[in-house]
Amino acid sequence: MSSPALIPPTFILVETQLADNIGSAARAMLNFGLDRMRLVNPKPEWPSDRAIALASGADRVLREAKVCRSLGEAVSDLQVVYATSARPRDLVRRIITPEQAGREMRAHAANGVRCGVLFGPERMGLVNDDLASVDAVITAPVNPDYGSINLAQAVLLIAYEWVRTGSDLAPSVLRTGDSPIASRQHLQSFLDRLVSELDESGFLRVSHMRPAMIRNIHALFSRTQLTDQEVRTLHGILTELVNIRLTRRPRPE
Amino acid sequence: MSSPALIPPTFILVETQLADNIGSAARAMLNFGLDRMRLVNPKPEWPSDRAIALASGADRVLREAKVCRSLGEAVSDLQVVYATSARPRDLVRRIITPEQAGREMRAHAANGVRCGVLFGPERMGLVNDDLASVDAVITAPVNPDYGSINLAQAVLLIAYEWVRTGSDLAPSVLRTGDSPIASRQHLQSFLDRLVSELDESGFLRVSHMRPAMIRNIHALFSRTQLTDQEVRTLHGILTELVNIRLTRRPRPE
């Protein structure tokens, strides 16, 4: 099933509050052969003896975990990013099961695409701004009356499905053309530029609408899995729409 | 899938050493709608405040858990009993995956058969005597070099598979948000407008590139399943990018 190019997913723990959960997450990952962990602003002092104790022999995963200052930094080199969340929000997002996530990540990995999965803080989960920039949200089929899964348990489920779906793998996830899927960094720089143009234009100046509008723009462009070529096309379009007007005569007021 | 006679499985924790694990197991069970727990000679003092804290709201499962003096007592009214074990022993036992276990328990439950699953002590797991009396051993597809799953994590996996294998909802693709997917007509009118702006700007005037460029633009925006609201957003963005420039001073030639 494995191929030389197979890239296992990176698990990104965002602002985790408890060292126990980071340690348990490392153990759960390694139980299913995953060892690429990143930590965005972990709350416990780091490195953490408590986390190492809970990792129960998987401390290599913790020692090699990259600590990042922002979510953007943590996902910058990844190409497809999923988020785990029990609660679908108002955002327009594709919702998939852990099983679907496993199959998709397998198919991506077989194509050399770098995937990541976000796990939010224990109490609050990921915020809408985080969810806006992911490709899809993974939601487990939990008890609707008691849906809050422990963080390390959520990590286990996704790691388990990564392995399980790999054993009967039928890679069928769509790929477009021969341009690779754009890195998040590449996509983000386009989105930053678009937002900055819209700020300048005044479109986003109505302050109470601004955050929601930016989220919508992120959501819209993030779930498409744009290729490098397409991001270049979007840059070109933006440049044209903005610049050509500069050479035009202002219209009469 | 569910029928009036459906009997959910009972989870039996055998000589568990840590209250944390009993609490976390209760939480994991209730996450997937299971609440029948039995404890065979639990090592912590019982009831346990620590277990209740870790159960994080699932303390009903703990309060209703039956404490038994022997494994025999714990399984006496059950009809089919599985054991979880990472290590197949010398015994001749049927080994199944968590997925198979889920499917079998579903089939049994639909026939009114009462099933149970044994989870052994943290360090040692179940002993051969325990394994000898079960119908099958459930083994997760773990990393052969690091196969020891935390007890509550093992509980989660089986509970998850109980639910997953029971839902014939092939959860294709759900959507969040309340705006419907835009009609192709609605989308097309945006694309026409975008192309016309780009034609006017000169971006598409290099004739041999024009058809491919238009195809790319269509492909990019079409595969996203944009909502009505998002198409309106795109119209707004386009209007802004174009119009604001009209009011600007032309840049010096």
Side-chain angles (χ1 to χ4, degrees):
Chain A
M1 267 337 112
S2 68
S3 84
L6 196 83
I7 303 174
T10 297
F11 280 16
I12 300 156
L13 275 53
V14 181
E15 299 184 358
T16 310
Q17 294 164 313
L18 300 175
D20 293 40
N21 284 334
I22 301 177
S24 298
R27 178 177 179 180
M29 286 175 63
L30 199 58
N31 279 154
F32 292 100
L34 298 177
D35 57 7
R36 299 176 179 213
M37 174 186 268
R38 292 179 187 171
L39 303 170
V40 178
N41 294 326
K43 297 303 172 206
E45 221 171 289
W46 198 258
S48 155
D49 289 342
R50 179 74 187 159
I52 289 171
L54 269 287
S56 191
D59 43 295
R60 174 174 69 78
V61 177
L62 297 177
R63 282 198 311 272
E64 294 171 1
K66 183 178 165 194
V67 178
C68 303
R69 302 297 302 262
S70 70
L71 182 54
E73 180 192 341
V75 301
S76 65
D77 62 331
L78 303 176
Q79 292 162 290
V80 172
V81 178
Y82 300 92
T84 52
S85 174
R87 293 147 295 198
R89 322 282 174 116
D90 292 337
L91 280 175
V92 177
R93 300 277 67 191
R94 194 164 60 98
I95 307 289
I96 61 176
T97 64
E99 176 175 7
Q100 285 175 298
R103 291 190 194 287
E104 287 191 18
M105 291 192 299
R106 281 278 156 188
H108 284 310
N111 288 322
V113 171
R114 296 180 299 279
C115 294
V117 184
L118 310 184
F119 298 87
E122 288 89 340
R123 278 188 200 292
M124 307 296 297
L126 295 165
V127 298
N128 268 355
D129 278 350
D130 302 331
L131 295 178
S133 55
V134 302
D135 294 84
V137 173
I138 308 171
T139 298
V142 289
N143 179 355
D145 295 329
Y146 185 71
S148 165
I149 300 191
N150 166 266
L151 174 60
Q153 301 272 39
V155 166
L156 181 91
L157 271 193
I158 309 303
Y160 165 73
E161 284 289 9
W162 159 259
V163 168
R164 192 183 70 80
T165 56
S167 48
D168 58 333
L169 141 89
S172 62
V173 162
L174 44 129
R175 297 252 317 133
T176 48
D178 45 19
S179 179
I181 297 177
S183 68
R184 307 307 290 197
Q185 189 173 32
H186 193 178
L187 176 61
Q188 188 61 47
S189 72
F190 165 72
L191 294 174
D192 289 346
R193 199 182 142 215
L194 176 60
V195 166
S196 123
E197 288 292 349
L198 293 172
D199 269 333
E200 202 185 334
S201 83
F203 188 54
L204 289 179
R205 276 209 206 105
V206 184
S207 59
H208 73 285
M209 289 290 288
R210 190 174 183 280
M213 184 63 79
I214 290 177
R215 271 200 303 275
N216 288 343
I217 291 172
H218 276 67
L220 187 167
F221 285 105
S222 296
R223 73 170 186 271
T224 318
Q225 298 182 356
L226 294 167
T227 65
D228 275 339
Q229 179 54 56
E230 288 175 326
V231 173
R232 282 195 294 273
T233 298
L234 288 171
H235 271 295
I237 289 174
L238 185 54
T239 300
E240 283 304 312
L241 291 174
V242 170
N243 284 348
I244 193 67
R245 303 309 170 185
L246 293 178
T247 67
R248 265 199 195 161
R249 195 180 303 274
R251 67 179 165 192
E253 311 276 326
Chain B
M1 243 351 162
S2 70
S3 84
L6 196 82
I7 303 174
T10 298
F11 280 16
I12 301 156
L13 275 52
V14 181
E15 299 185 357
T16 310
Q17 294 165 313
L18 300 175
D20 293 39
N21 284 334
I22 302 176
S24 298
R27 178 176 178 181
M29 286 175 61
L30 199 58
N31 279 154
F32 292 100
L34 298 178
D35 57 6
R36 299 176 180 213
M37 175 186 268
R38 293 176 188 175
L39 302 170
V40 178
N41 295 326
K43 296 304 174 204
E45 218 170 293
W46 199 258
S48 155
D49 289 342
R50 178 73 187 160
I52 289 171
L54 269 288
S56 192
D59 43 295
R60 174 174 68 79
V61 176
L62 297 177
R63 282 199 312 273
E64 295 171 2
K66 183 179 165 193
V67 178
C68 304
R69 302 296 301 263
S70 70
L71 181 54
E73 179 191 343
V75 300
S76 62
D77 62 329
L78 303 177
Q79 292 161 288
V80 172
V81 178
Y82 299 92
T84 53
S85 173
R87 292 146 296 196
R89 323 282 173 116
D90 293 339
L91 281 175
V92 179
R93 297 278 69 190
R94 193 165 60 98
I95 307 287
I96 61 175
T97 64
E99 177 175 7
Q100 284 174 295
R103 292 190 194 289
E104 288 190 18
M105 291 191 299
R106 280 279 157 188
H108 285 312
N111 290 321
V113 171
R114 294 181 299 278
C115 294
V117 184
L118 310 185
F119 299 86
E122 289 89 340
R123 281 189 197 290
M124 307 295 297
L126 295 164
V127 297
N128 270 356
D129 278 352
D130 302 332
L131 295 179
S133 58
V134 300
D135 292 83
V137 172
I138 308 171
T139 299
V142 289
N143 178 356
D145 297 329
Y146 186 72
S148 164
I149 301 190
N150 165 265
L151 174 60
Q153 301 271 40
V155 166
L156 181 90
L157 272 194
I158 310 303
Y160 166 72
E161 284 290 9
W162 159 260
V163 168
R164 192 183 68 81
T165 56
S167 60
D168 47 2
L169 85 115
S172 47
V173 171
L174 317 174
R175 296 184 62 83
T176 52
D178 45 18
S179 180
I181 296 177
S183 69
R184 304 310 286 191
Q185 188 177 31
H186 193 180
L187 176 62
Q188 188 61 48
S189 73
F190 166 72
L191 294 174
D192 289 346
R193 197 182 143 215
L194 176 60
V195 167
S196 125
E197 288 292 349
L198 292 171
D199 269 334
E200 203 187 332
S201 82
F203 188 54
L204 288 179
R205 276 210 205 107
V206 184
S207 59
H208 72 284
M209 291 289 289
R210 191 174 183 280
M213 185 64 78
I214 290 177
R215 270 200 305 276
N216 289 345
I217 292 171
H218 275 67
L220 188 166
F221 286 104
S222 296
R223 72 169 186 273
T224 318
Q225 297 184 353
L226 295 167
T227 65
D228 275 339
Q229 178 56 54
E230 288 176 327
V231 173
R232 282 194 293 272
T233 298
L234 287 171
H235 271 294
I237 288 173
L238 185 55
T239 300
E240 282 304 312
L241 291 175
V242 169
N243 283 350
I244 193 68
R245 303 310 172 185
L246 293 177
T247 66
R248 265 201 195 160
R249 197 179 302 274
R251 67 182 164 191
E253 312 273 328

